[in-house]
Amino acid sequence: MPKVKTHSRAKKTFKITGTGEITYRPQGRSHLLTKKSKKRKRHLNHTGIIGKANADFVKRLLRLR
């Protein structure tokens, strides 16, 4: 039977905290920044926490279950 692979984008996007919460960094902060407002770029700096509704799906992508 072949190995089960982790979703490549998911392992780059999501991180697991020490308490088990899943954090993410919003997309849109890597290039084409000159056309984006200062406020928009500032709000893209903050990391977020995945909600309970999506937590099971993300864990399945990361093969944590």
Side-chain angles (χ1 to χ4, degrees):
M1 193 166 148
K3 290 182 179 180
V4 179
K5 294 185 177 180
T6 303
H7 194 273
S8 294
R9 184 69 237 170
K11 64 185 173 187
K12 297 171 191 170
T13 305
F14 303 108
K15 302 286 182 237
I16 309 294
T17 63
T19 58
E21 293 178 321
I22 303 171
T23 61
Y24 70 98
R25 187 174 156 263
Q27 64 183 11
R29 189 71 171 114
S30 59
H31 62 99
L32 298 176
L33 298 175
T34 55
K35 65 171 76 172
K36 296 172 186 165
S37 67
K38 287 182 181 182
K39 180 179 178 180
R40 185 173 166 191
K41 290 185 279 192
R42 188 169 61 246
H43 285 289
L44 287 172
N45 274 337
H46 302 297
T47 58
I49 297 175
I50 295 293
K52 292 179 182 178
N54 296 320
D56 287 337
F57 179 71
V58 173
K59 286 179 182 177
R60 195 167 58 217
L61 289 176
L62 295 172
R63 304 286 184 229
L64 296 176
R65 294 180 56 181

